[in-house]
Each structure stands twice: as C-alpha cells, then as structure tokens.
Amino acid sequence: MSQQQRLLIGLLCGLVAGAFWGGVFLAPKLLAAFTPLQMTAGRYLCYGLASAALLAPSARRVLGRLTPADWRDLAGLSLLGNIVYYVCLAISVQIAGVAPASLIIGLLPVTITLVGAKPGEGVALRRLAAPLLLVGAGVVCINVAAFQTAGGVDVGRLVLGLLAAVGALAVWTVYAVWNARRLAGTPRFNSHEWSLLTGVVTGLLSLLLVVPAFWPAFLGGAPHLANAWLLFWAVSLAVALGASVIGNGLWNAASRLLPLSLSGQLIVFETLFALLYGFLHDARWPLPLEAAAIVLMLAGVLWSVHLHRPDERGAH
C-alpha cells in the first residue's frame, strides 16, 4: 500500500469513527433522567456483550495469543479510555452542555500530538505549531461562549462540568497514546481483534459498576417508568455498537495507518459531529463564538492534514 493510499484510508477511517463517536455526546442529553454511572454501566455492559458475541467464532484462536502483559494493558486501556472517560464526559454534558464538553474534549488533537509525537515520526512539532494554535484558539472561544450563555446555571456547577471535560481530555489523551503504541507493538492482533478484546475486558470491568449504579434505583426514590428503561437500553445499545464496536475499530485502523502527529488530530471530527448532533437536538444554530470555534478547529486539522501529505513531507 502506497503512502498516499495509507493517508486516504486512514483519513476516511478517522472521519467515520468521528461520526459515530459524536453520538456519544448526545446520549447524556437523551438520558438526562439517569445518572452518569448508570449510563456508563449500561453502555459498557452492552459493549462487552456485543464484543463477546462478535469474538466468539474466533475466541479460542485469539485468546490463545494473549499474554499476561496483554491482559494488564487491556484492563488499563479499558478503564481509562472507556469507563473513566465516559463518566467524566456524561457529567460534563449534563452540567455544561454538549458544546462546551465536546469542544474542550476537542483539544485532544493538541494533547495527543504533544504527548505522543516522537522525533522522526510524522511531521515535526515545530511545523505543526500553527495548526495546533488554531485548534487551541477554537477551544478558548467555546469556553468564553459557555460562560456567556450560562444563564441560570450555577457558576460552581458550570466549573465542575468544565473540569469533568478536562478530566475526560486527560484520560483519553493517555489512552490514545498508549493504545497507538500498543497496537504498533502488537502485530499478533489486528485492529478489529484488539477492539473486541478491549470490549470484552470493558464489559467485565463494567460489572463492578452494576450494584452502585442500579441498586439505589430499586431501593427508593422515584422509579423510572418502563418507557424510560426501554429508551435507556436502546440508547446504550446504539452507543455501544456505533461508538464502541464500530467507532473504536475504525479508530484502531486509523491509528495503525497514520502517525500519531496526524491520527490524534482526526479526533476533531468527533467534536464537529457532536456539535452538529447537539445543535440538531436543541433545534438551534451555533452562536458566533461557537461558529468561530468550529471554523478554527477544522482549519487547524485540515492544515495539519496538508502538512502530512507525502509530497509535502518529502519537500522539507
């Protein structure tokens, strides 16, 4: 496969993964009656079951290749990149809203590039400084917009929501770099197998959340109606299949095809799709600062993609 083909296929995988991941930000809005812990447990129980079912035909062959180090890293990756990340994201969306949460987490292109880039791999950081500054400026715009439109939201709660988004940003940065390095160093598994193994381990870890997440709902308080539970499990299954099974598989493929200095920046598509879904859900157009943030972030990533083109890289 030529460099140009790797770039195009990797970009397409990252784009489609972002379209699926963007729906994750809408789920807490649709399930506002449920707690972040309940949403996390529901999503990853479904993810674990779906992954186990898809892995079943080749389970003996794939599981036979696992080493103790693989199990350890799968557990760490599943905890950080799935469970802790989604709890933080759900808290942020429910308190601060889709736009601030998605655009703070939209700093992932910057943080992953800064943390994960290696000398001699991809494009030098000094050449990516200007595109990364555009992405950072976009995040500044959305933070200003969040406080301008806070309305009746308590400032302390808004700060908590924004801090939760920062927490999600931090843990997923670690996950993305760790996972990309692990994929590169683990040729025993293809991207799809590694994604399903991550799903199975995440499902097992989510069992630890079942009691604290759901037991209080059955002990007292206002119980959810049957229709609410139907919506809960429908959204959980949709997010598990779309974002976790399909989205993660495509992201793993992009991570193998592209250098971290580029693949990390493709996460901006998750942010852009999350904003699109959020604006559609709220039936409104973006505010001026939100629109400016979208333009700045998209411009930064497109600039970075241009710098990663084989002919551009070979010319310097």
Side-chain angles (χ1 to χ4, degrees):
M1 186 184 299
S2 70
Q3 234 180 350
Q4 188 72 29
Q5 289 174 321
R6 290 175 67 88
L7 177 65
L8 290 174
I9 295 173
L11 288 173
L12 182 60
C13 288
L15 172 65
V16 180
F20 280 107
W21 280 349
V24 170
F25 290 82
L26 189 56
K29 282 285 189 183
L30 298 175
L31 303 178
F34 294 87
T35 68
L37 203 59
Q38 288 172 333
M39 284 183 273
T40 303
R43 171 185 175 178
Y44 291 121
L45 281 172
C46 292
Y47 180 28
L49 290 171
S51 297
L54 291 169
L55 188 63
S58 58
R60 181 175 297 180
R61 174 173 53 84
V62 174
L63 294 177
R65 282 184 260 143
L66 284 167
T67 66
D70 292 331
W71 284 111
R72 179 200 64 209
D73 287 354
L74 283 167
L77 289 166
S78 299
L79 184 64
L80 283 179
N82 290 325
I83 292 175
V84 176
Y85 168 76
Y86 196 57
V87 168
C88 291
L89 182 147
I91 292 171
S92 181
V93 169
Q94 288 195 336
I95 295 176
V98 172
S102 61
L103 281 166
I104 288 175
I105 295 171
L107 262 177
L108 280 168
V110 178
T111 57
I112 291 173
T113 302
L114 294 177
V115 172
K118 285 184 175 180
E121 179 184 75
V123 174
L125 283 177
R126 60 181 175 78
R127 296 189 63 215
L128 293 174
L132 293 176
L133 282 174
L134 286 181
V135 176
V139 175
V140 171
C141 287
I142 199 60
N143 276 281
V144 174
F147 282 99
Q148 286 182 346
T149 60
V153 178
D154 178 71
V155 173
R157 278 180 55 80
L158 180 59
V159 170
L160 175 62
L162 296 176
L163 286 175
V166 172
L169 170 68
V171 297
W172 218 85
T173 298
V174 174
Y175 163 80
V177 175
W178 184 4
N179 190 56
R181 299 295 181 218
R182 199 61 167 82
L183 278 166
T186 314
R188 298 187 308 280
F189 305 102
N190 61 39
S191 302
H192 182 62
E193 290 169 342
W194 189 253
S195 178
L196 293 180
L197 287 169
T198 303
V200 170
V201 174
T202 302
L204 292 173
L205 289 175
S206 70
L207 293 174
L208 301 175
L209 302 179
V210 170
V211 172
F214 296 110
W215 189 247
F218 296 101
L219 286 180
H224 296 296
L225 298 176
N227 285 345
W229 281 113
L230 182 62
L231 176 65
F232 174 84
W233 289 111
V235 171
S236 296
L237 182 61
V239 171
L241 293 176
S244 296
V245 176
I246 301 174
N248 288 2
L250 289 168
W251 172 253
N252 284 342
S255 296
R256 274 202 157 131
L257 290 166
L258 304 171
L260 257 176
S261 59
L262 177 58
S263 64
Q265 295 185 61
L266 297 185
I267 299 173
V268 77
F269 291 122
E270 174 191 27
T271 302
L272 296 175
F273 278 105
L275 289 168
L276 173 63
Y277 302 151
F279 294 142
L280 289 173
H281 177 266
D282 296 339
R284 70 175 180 89
W285 291 97
L287 300 171
L289 278 173
E290 292 172 336
I294 293 169
V295 171
L296 286 167
M297 296 179 77
L298 188 56
V301 172
L302 290 176
W303 190 353
S304 178
V305 169
H306 176 71
L307 291 175
H308 280 82
R309 288 174 55 195
D311 56 332
E312 290 293 323
R313 291 171 58 186
H316 293 268

